[in-house]
Amino acid sequence: MAHRVIDRPPTAATLRRLERASGAIATRAVARMDEDLPWFRTMPADQRSWVMLVAQAGIASLVEWCRSPDRPPRLTGEVFGAAPRDLVRAVPLKQTVDLVELTVQVMDDHVESVAEPGDADALRLAVLLFSREVAFATAHVYASFAENRGAWDARLEALVVDALVRGERSEELPGRASALGWDGTGPVAVLVGVAPADGDTHADVRRAARSHRCEVLVGVHAEHLVVVLGGAEDLRSAAERVTEEFGPGPVVLGPVVDRLSAAGGSAAAALAGLRAARAWPGAPRPVPADALLPERALDGDPLARAALTERVVLPLRTAGGDLLETVRAVLAGGGNLEATARALFVHPNTVRYRLKRAAEVTGQVATDPRGAWTLQVALALADLGGERSLWH
């Protein structure tokens, strides 16, 4: 941006007087801020001292500019470099504009008392032009901060999501996520699928999640889009909306966990489900990872095999009442209850009662296609694998 050159800069004598008065002017400016800006009075003492340093640096920069009017003012370094970068984080842009405006007003009020006779108009014009340069520099500082913060946030978010994908259970994860605005309370679940080929994926996913008042972290690993959802009571509904932003193919929702530091388990289950989902072409979208336990177990997922043992095999074995024998007979008979009753020499209502009890203890209905498939795989793996001892 081209800067405005002062046609007639203030005299050297005026500039010397301005230098001597700079401390008093800065002090008066801060006092005006304290009088006129209620939020300024609540600032910590260290931040208020930073504002004083910036005001003094601004007056010093004005003097140097007036002495060399052909030189563009280096306001970003000379003025804003007087305070730590944390000041930009602590004071919003609108409040900084108010601070600059008050400082310029105070400088303008002191023009008559500082300027040599006949030099007031030149000094007032210099203050006006300089204030315009400060306004542009302020916008540049905050734009640079926002750009750097955005890049830093993106890197930090990628690290958090990558740690979850790798199964890291570090207690540092919530702290890192909180730096990204994650509240840290409520249930969490991980959603995975194919990343879309085009579009602003991160922004689209965030809009979709926040439409359900859901906290969200987004990462792309190879061709996979990984979305961490949290904070909402109904994560399933949020996942259904976010699924619309994924690319073609299956989308798998990991089990809900109670905190972010445990979300690695949800991510592991979701990724295992995504690998096995092609074995269930008619799966809903999204499909819960637990609904893919049979396919995951056949794909070699030890967690899925353990879950089938715990949720299906052991409950049937310990329930008694011939439940296991009845479930095997129903599966062998293709779900025909009358044929099962004849094979077991019992009444069909007895078969129905036993199947109801089996559904209560396992969560699987033997006459439902998916339930029958899950029961068949669980029992077959128990017969073939290390769970054989369960039957003895």
Side-chain angles (χ1 to χ4, degrees), residues 278-303:
R278 62 180 179 271
W280 185 10
R285 181 181 148 108
V287 56
D290 282 357
L292 288 161
L293 284 177
E295 290 79 9
R296 289 168 51 194
L298 292 175
D299 193 43
D301 179 7
L303 294 177

PDB file of all heavy atoms in Angstrom, residues 278-303:
ATOM      1  N   ARG A 278     -17.248 -53.689   3.247  1.00  0.00           N
ATOM      2  CA  ARG A 278     -17.549 -54.159   1.885  1.00  0.00           C
ATOM      3  C   ARG A 278     -18.197 -55.539   1.892  1.00  0.00           C
ATOM      4  O   ARG A 278     -18.799 -55.957   0.898  1.00  0.00           O
ATOM      5  CB  ARG A 278     -16.276 -54.173   1.036  1.00  0.00           C
ATOM      6  CG  ARG A 278     -15.180 -55.101   1.530  1.00  0.00           C
ATOM      7  CD  ARG A 278     -13.965 -55.020   0.609  1.00  0.00           C
ATOM      8  NE  ARG A 278     -12.877 -55.887   1.051  1.00  0.00           N
ATOM      9  CZ  ARG A 278     -11.935 -55.522   1.898  1.00  0.00           C
ATOM     10  NH1 ARG A 278     -11.970 -54.305   2.427  1.00  0.00           N
ATOM     11  NH2 ARG A 278     -10.976 -56.360   2.239  1.00  0.00           N
ATOM     12  N   ALA A 279     -18.096 -56.274   3.005  1.00  0.00           N
ATOM     13  CA  ALA A 279     -18.736 -57.583   3.105  1.00  0.00           C
ATOM     14  C   ALA A 279     -20.234 -57.466   3.397  1.00  0.00           C
ATOM     15  O   ALA A 279     -20.936 -58.479   3.407  1.00  0.00           O
ATOM     16  CB  ALA A 279     -18.066 -58.423   4.185  1.00  0.00           C
ATOM     17  N   TRP A 280     -20.706 -56.267   3.652  1.00  0.00           N
ATOM     18  CA  TRP A 280     -22.140 -56.022   3.855  1.00  0.00           C
ATOM     19  C   TRP A 280     -22.568 -54.902   2.905  1.00  0.00           C
ATOM     20  O   TRP A 280     -22.681 -53.761   3.286  1.00  0.00           O
ATOM     21  CB  TRP A 280     -22.424 -55.636   5.301  1.00  0.00           C
ATOM     22  CG  TRP A 280     -23.894 -55.492   5.623  1.00  0.00           C
ATOM     23  CD1 TRP A 280     -24.952 -55.837   4.839  1.00  0.00           C
ATOM     24  CD2 TRP A 280     -24.436 -54.953   6.829  1.00  0.00           C
ATOM     25  NE1 TRP A 280     -26.138 -55.546   5.477  1.00  0.00           N
ATOM     26  CE2 TRP A 280     -25.853 -55.014   6.706  1.00  0.00           C
ATOM     27  CE3 TRP A 280     -23.887 -54.451   8.006  1.00  0.00           C
ATOM     28  CZ2 TRP A 280     -26.718 -54.568   7.709  1.00  0.00           C
ATOM     29  CZ3 TRP A 280     -24.742 -54.011   9.004  1.00  0.00           C
ATOM     30  CH2 TRP A 280     -26.137 -54.073   8.851  1.00  0.00           C
ATOM     31  N   PRO A 281     -22.808 -55.220   1.648  1.00  0.00           N
ATOM     32  CA  PRO A 281     -23.126 -54.186   0.648  1.00  0.00           C
ATOM     33  C   PRO A 281     -24.367 -53.373   0.998  1.00  0.00           C
ATOM     34  O   PRO A 281     -24.467 -52.211   0.614  1.00  0.00           O
ATOM     35  CB  PRO A 281     -23.331 -54.991  -0.639  1.00  0.00           C
ATOM     36  CG  PRO A 281     -22.616 -56.277  -0.413  1.00  0.00           C
ATOM     37  CD  PRO A 281     -22.743 -56.564   1.042  1.00  0.00           C
ATOM     38  N   GLY A 282     -25.304 -53.976   1.699  1.00  0.00           N
ATOM     39  CA  GLY A 282     -26.535 -53.262   2.026  1.00  0.00           C
ATOM     40  C   GLY A 282     -26.520 -52.541   3.340  1.00  0.00           C
ATOM     41  O   GLY A 282     -27.588 -52.170   3.859  1.00  0.00           O
ATOM     42  N   ALA A 283     -25.349 -52.310   3.909  1.00  0.00           N
ATOM     43  CA  ALA A 283     -25.259 -51.652   5.214  1.00  0.00           C
ATOM     44  C   ALA A 283     -25.815 -50.236   5.147  1.00  0.00           C
ATOM     45  O   ALA A 283     -25.671 -49.537   4.135  1.00  0.00           O
ATOM     46  CB  ALA A 283     -23.807 -51.610   5.679  1.00  0.00           C
ATOM     47  N   PRO A 284     -26.480 -49.788   6.211  1.00  0.00           N
ATOM     48  CA  PRO A 284     -26.941 -48.392   6.237  1.00  0.00           C
ATOM     49  C   PRO A 284     -25.758 -47.438   6.261  1.00  0.00           C
ATOM     50  O   PRO A 284     -24.620 -47.847   6.481  1.00  0.00           O
ATOM     51  CB  PRO A 284     -27.758 -48.311   7.523  1.00  0.00           C
ATOM     52  CG  PRO A 284     -27.220 -49.403   8.385  1.00  0.00           C
ATOM     53  CD  PRO A 284     -26.809 -50.507   7.452  1.00  0.00           C
ATOM     54  N   ARG A 285     -26.025 -46.178   6.026  1.00  0.00           N
ATOM     55  CA  ARG A 285     -24.975 -45.159   5.980  1.00  0.00           C
ATOM     56  C   ARG A 285     -25.418 -43.980   6.829  1.00  0.00           C
ATOM     57  O   ARG A 285     -26.353 -43.293   6.425  1.00  0.00           O
ATOM     58  CB  ARG A 285     -24.725 -44.755   4.534  1.00  0.00           C
ATOM     59  CG  ARG A 285     -23.640 -43.707   4.312  1.00  0.00           C
ATOM     60  CD  ARG A 285     -23.543 -43.409   2.813  1.00  0.00           C
ATOM     61  NE  ARG A 285     -23.145 -42.019   2.610  1.00  0.00           N
ATOM     62  CZ  ARG A 285     -21.956 -41.651   2.182  1.00  0.00           C
ATOM     63  NH1 ARG A 285     -21.060 -42.566   1.892  1.00  0.00           N
ATOM     64  NH2 ARG A 285     -21.670 -40.382   2.020  1.00  0.00           N
ATOM     65  N   PRO A 286     -24.833 -43.763   7.983  1.00  0.00           N
ATOM     66  CA  PRO A 286     -23.695 -44.500   8.541  1.00  0.00           C
ATOM     67  C   PRO A 286     -24.137 -45.808   9.191  1.00  0.00           C
ATOM     68  O   PRO A 286     -25.305 -45.958   9.580  1.00  0.00           O
ATOM     69  CB  PRO A 286     -23.145 -43.544   9.587  1.00  0.00           C
ATOM     70  CG  PRO A 286     -24.357 -42.805  10.087  1.00  0.00           C
ATOM     71  CD  PRO A 286     -25.233 -42.632   8.872  1.00  0.00           C
ATOM     72  N   VAL A 287     -23.199 -46.711   9.330  1.00  0.00           N
ATOM     73  CA  VAL A 287     -23.461 -47.981   9.998  1.00  0.00           C
ATOM     74  C   VAL A 287     -22.647 -48.026  11.286  1.00  0.00           C
ATOM     75  O   VAL A 287     -21.456 -47.679  11.274  1.00  0.00           O
ATOM     76  CB  VAL A 287     -23.117 -49.174   9.083  1.00  0.00           C
ATOM     77  CG1 VAL A 287     -21.670 -49.104   8.598  1.00  0.00           C
ATOM     78  CG2 VAL A 287     -23.381 -50.498   9.788  1.00  0.00           C
ATOM     79  N   PRO A 288     -23.257 -48.395  12.409  1.00  0.00           N
ATOM     80  CA  PRO A 288     -22.477 -48.508  13.649  1.00  0.00           C
ATOM     81  C   PRO A 288     -21.415 -49.594  13.523  1.00  0.00           C
ATOM     82  O   PRO A 288     -21.648 -50.646  12.932  1.00  0.00           O
ATOM     83  CB  PRO A 288     -23.543 -48.893  14.691  1.00  0.00           C
ATOM     84  CG  PRO A 288     -24.851 -48.451  14.094  1.00  0.00           C
ATOM     85  CD  PRO A 288     -24.705 -48.628  12.623  1.00  0.00           C
ATOM     86  N   ALA A 289     -20.265 -49.343  14.083  1.00  0.00           N
ATOM     87  CA  ALA A 289     -19.179 -50.334  14.034  1.00  0.00           C
ATOM     88  C   ALA A 289     -19.595 -51.637  14.702  1.00  0.00           C
ATOM     89  O   ALA A 289     -19.202 -52.723  14.264  1.00  0.00           O
ATOM     90  CB  ALA A 289     -17.927 -49.763  14.708  1.00  0.00           C
ATOM     91  N   ASP A 290     -20.421 -51.553  15.741  1.00  0.00           N
ATOM     92  CA  ASP A 290     -20.859 -52.769  16.427  1.00  0.00           C
ATOM     93  C   ASP A 290     -21.798 -53.604  15.564  1.00  0.00           C
ATOM     94  O   ASP A 290     -21.916 -54.820  15.781  1.00  0.00           O
ATOM     95  CB  ASP A 290     -21.547 -52.417  17.743  1.00  0.00           C
ATOM     96  CG  ASP A 290     -20.546 -52.072  18.839  1.00  0.00           C
ATOM     97  OD1 ASP A 290     -19.330 -52.173  18.581  1.00  0.00           O
ATOM     98  OD2 ASP A 290     -20.978 -51.691  19.946  1.00  0.00           O
ATOM     99  N   ALA A 291     -22.498 -52.970  14.611  1.00  0.00           N
ATOM    100  CA  ALA A 291     -23.355 -53.735  13.712  1.00  0.00           C
ATOM    101  C   ALA A 291     -22.538 -54.555  12.722  1.00  0.00           C
ATOM    102  O   ALA A 291     -23.058 -55.472  12.084  1.00  0.00           O
ATOM    103  CB  ALA A 291     -24.299 -52.795  12.948  1.00  0.00           C
ATOM    104  N   LEU A 292     -21.247 -54.252  12.619  1.00  0.00           N
ATOM    105  CA  LEU A 292     -20.347 -54.960  11.703  1.00  0.00           C
ATOM    106  C   LEU A 292     -19.468 -55.970  12.446  1.00  0.00           C
ATOM    107  O   LEU A 292     -18.458 -56.421  11.896  1.00  0.00           O
ATOM    108  CB  LEU A 292     -19.457 -53.961  10.967  1.00  0.00           C
ATOM    109  CG  LEU A 292     -20.148 -53.115   9.894  1.00  0.00           C
ATOM    110  CD1 LEU A 292     -19.328 -51.876   9.581  1.00  0.00           C
ATOM    111  CD2 LEU A 292     -20.367 -53.930   8.631  1.00  0.00           C
ATOM    112  N   LEU A 293     -19.843 -56.349  13.645  1.00  0.00           N
ATOM    113  CA  LEU A 293     -19.014 -57.286  14.407  1.00  0.00           C
ATOM    114  C   LEU A 293     -18.751 -58.595  13.655  1.00  0.00           C
ATOM    115  O   LEU A 293     -17.610 -59.084  13.652  1.00  0.00           O
ATOM    116  CB  LEU A 293     -19.656 -57.584  15.765  1.00  0.00           C
ATOM    117  CG  LEU A 293     -19.523 -56.492  16.830  1.00  0.00           C
ATOM    118  CD1 LEU A 293     -20.274 -56.892  18.092  1.00  0.00           C
ATOM    119  CD2 LEU A 293     -18.056 -56.215  17.141  1.00  0.00           C
ATOM    120  N   PRO A 294     -19.752 -59.212  12.979  1.00  0.00           N
ATOM    121  CA  PRO A 294     -19.448 -60.458  12.255  1.00  0.00           C
ATOM    122  C   PRO A 294     -18.415 -60.255  11.157  1.00  0.00           C
ATOM    123  O   PRO A 294     -17.461 -61.043  11.025  1.00  0.00           O
ATOM    124  CB  PRO A 294     -20.802 -60.883  11.684  1.00  0.00           C
ATOM    125  CG  PRO A 294     -21.814 -60.167  12.503  1.00  0.00           C
ATOM    126  CD  PRO A 294     -21.183 -58.885  12.912  1.00  0.00           C
ATOM    127  N   GLU A 295     -18.595 -59.202  10.352  1.00  0.00           N
ATOM    128  CA  GLU A 295     -17.657 -58.941   9.265  1.00  0.00           C
ATOM    129  C   GLU A 295     -16.274 -58.586   9.802  1.00  0.00           C
ATOM    130  O   GLU A 295     -15.252 -59.010   9.247  1.00  0.00           O
ATOM    131  CB  GLU A 295     -18.183 -57.805   8.382  1.00  0.00           C
ATOM    132  CG  GLU A 295     -19.402 -58.159   7.538  1.00  0.00           C
ATOM    133  CD  GLU A 295     -20.716 -58.147   8.317  1.00  0.00           C
ATOM    134  OE1 GLU A 295     -20.705 -57.696   9.495  1.00  0.00           O
ATOM    135  OE2 GLU A 295     -21.739 -58.578   7.766  1.00  0.00           O
ATOM    136  N   ARG A 296     -16.229 -57.815  10.859  1.00  0.00           N
ATOM    137  CA  ARG A 296     -14.949 -57.451  11.452  1.00  0.00           C
ATOM    138  C   ARG A 296     -14.231 -58.684  12.005  1.00  0.00           C
ATOM    139  O   ARG A 296     -13.013 -58.830  11.862  1.00  0.00           O
ATOM    140  CB  ARG A 296     -15.155 -56.426  12.561  1.00  0.00           C
ATOM    141  CG  ARG A 296     -15.555 -55.040  12.088  1.00  0.00           C
ATOM    142  CD  ARG A 296     -16.024 -54.162  13.241  1.00  0.00           C
ATOM    143  NE  ARG A 296     -15.066 -54.146  14.344  1.00  0.00           N
ATOM    144  CZ  ARG A 296     -15.348 -53.677  15.560  1.00  0.00           C
ATOM    145  NH1 ARG A 296     -16.561 -53.224  15.823  1.00  0.00           N
ATOM    146  NH2 ARG A 296     -14.420 -53.682  16.501  1.00  0.00           N
ATOM    147  N   ALA A 297     -14.982 -59.575  12.645  1.00  0.00           N
ATOM    148  CA  ALA A 297     -14.380 -60.791  13.189  1.00  0.00           C
ATOM    149  C   ALA A 297     -13.816 -61.668  12.090  1.00  0.00           C
ATOM    150  O   ALA A 297     -12.709 -62.214  12.209  1.00  0.00           O
ATOM    151  CB  ALA A 297     -15.418 -61.559  14.008  1.00  0.00           C
ATOM    152  N   LEU A 298     -14.569 -61.800  10.974  1.00  0.00           N
ATOM    153  CA  LEU A 298     -14.078 -62.600   9.847  1.00  0.00           C
ATOM    154  C   LEU A 298     -12.857 -61.956   9.197  1.00  0.00           C
ATOM    155  O   LEU A 298     -12.029 -62.650   8.597  1.00  0.00           O
ATOM    156  CB  LEU A 298     -15.194 -62.781   8.814  1.00  0.00           C
ATOM    157  CG  LEU A 298     -16.380 -63.651   9.254  1.00  0.00           C
ATOM    158  CD1 LEU A 298     -17.464 -63.643   8.183  1.00  0.00           C
ATOM    159  CD2 LEU A 298     -15.928 -65.078   9.537  1.00  0.00           C
ATOM    160  N   ASP A 299     -12.760 -60.628   9.331  1.00  0.00           N
ATOM    161  CA  ASP A 299     -11.617 -59.901   8.762  1.00  0.00           C
ATOM    162  C   ASP A 299     -10.396 -59.967   9.678  1.00  0.00           C
ATOM    163  O   ASP A 299      -9.357 -59.415   9.363  1.00  0.00           O
ATOM    164  CB  ASP A 299     -12.024 -58.442   8.516  1.00  0.00           C
ATOM    165  CG  ASP A 299     -11.020 -57.707   7.649  1.00  0.00           C
ATOM    166  OD1 ASP A 299     -10.555 -58.284   6.637  1.00  0.00           O
ATOM    167  OD2 ASP A 299     -10.692 -56.546   7.986  1.00  0.00           O
ATOM    168  N   GLY A 300     -10.550 -60.637  10.827  1.00  0.00           N
ATOM    169  CA  GLY A 300      -9.408 -60.815  11.725  1.00  0.00           C
ATOM    170  C   GLY A 300      -9.299 -59.805  12.837  1.00  0.00           C
ATOM    171  O   GLY A 300      -8.234 -59.714  13.482  1.00  0.00           O
ATOM    172  N   ASP A 301     -10.359 -59.036  13.099  1.00  0.00           N
ATOM    173  CA  ASP A 301     -10.312 -58.041  14.161  1.00  0.00           C
ATOM    174  C   ASP A 301     -10.469 -58.741  15.512  1.00  0.00           C
ATOM    175  O   ASP A 301     -11.550 -59.259  15.836  1.00  0.00           O
ATOM    176  CB  ASP A 301     -11.431 -57.023  13.949  1.00  0.00           C
ATOM    177  CG  ASP A 301     -11.465 -55.957  15.032  1.00  0.00           C
ATOM    178  OD1 ASP A 301     -10.547 -55.938  15.876  1.00  0.00           O
ATOM    179  OD2 ASP A 301     -12.409 -55.146  15.032  1.00  0.00           O
ATOM    180  N   PRO A 302      -9.423 -58.776  16.329  1.00  0.00           N
ATOM    181  CA  PRO A 302      -9.522 -59.480  17.623  1.00  0.00           C
ATOM    182  C   PRO A 302     -10.529 -58.838  18.568  1.00  0.00           C
ATOM    183  O   PRO A 302     -11.144 -59.531  19.388  1.00  0.00           O
ATOM    184  CB  PRO A 302      -8.097 -59.410  18.182  1.00  0.00           C
ATOM    185  CG  PRO A 302      -7.474 -58.234  17.496  1.00  0.00           C
ATOM    186  CD  PRO A 302      -8.089 -58.174  16.135  1.00  0.00           C
ATOM    187  N   LEU A 303     -10.698 -57.524  18.475  1.00  0.00           N
ATOM    188  CA  LEU A 303     -11.664 -56.857  19.349  1.00  0.00           C
ATOM    189  C   LEU A 303     -13.086 -57.294  19.015  1.00  0.00           C
ATOM    190  O   LEU A 303     -13.920 -57.467  19.919  1.00  0.00           O
ATOM    191  CB  LEU A 303     -11.542 -55.334  19.209  1.00  0.00           C
ATOM    192  CG  LEU A 303     -10.228 -54.716  19.704  1.00  0.00           C
ATOM    193  CD1 LEU A 303     -10.217 -53.213  19.435  1.00  0.00           C
ATOM    194  CD2 LEU A 303     -10.033 -54.985  21.192  1.00  0.00           C
TER     195      LEU A 303
END
